[in-house]
Amino acid sequence: MLELYRSFDLDEQLKPYQKKLAALGVPVLILWGQQDEFLPMDYASRFAREIPGSELVMLEGVRHFLFEDEPERCAREVIGFLRQADT
């Protein structure tokens, strides 16, 4: 499984969506683990730049599988984001 993830070329996978992320037009929460061993933090920053009004939350001490590593913390972030978006 690790070999599969390491062989994944996200830049290539994102090409069809370039410049389309900005057109989403909905609130977007980007949760990212600071210790993600599969996808570098550069991608998180890139998504935040490309999606206007998005909110990026970097979770310290969390790896790639955020909801497995820190389910309560992720839930708090999502609930807080949804409450804020609802106002």
Side-chain angles (χ1 to χ4, degrees), residues 32-41 62-66:
W32 210 273
Q34 284 186 341
Q35 277 69 48
D36 189 326
E37 61 273 28
F38 301 119
L39 296 173
M41 290 189 323
V62 178
R63 297 169 50 175
H64 184 74
F65 298 101
L66 311 168

Side-chain angles (χ1 to χ4, degrees), residues 50-69:
E50 292 183 11
I51 304 171
S54 62
E55 181 180 334
L56 172 59
V57 176
M58 301 297 293
L59 300 176
E60 187 177 331
V62 178
R63 297 169 50 175
H64 184 74
F65 298 101
L66 311 168
F67 289 92
E68 289 182 18
D69 289 351

Side-chain angles (χ1 to χ4, degrees), residues 29 31 67 73-84:
L29 173 64
L31 290 179
F67 289 92
R73 191 167 163 195
C74 290
R76 281 194 307 271
E77 293 292 343
V78 170
I79 290 168
F81 179 78
L82 293 173
R83 283 186 177 140
Q84 183 181 11

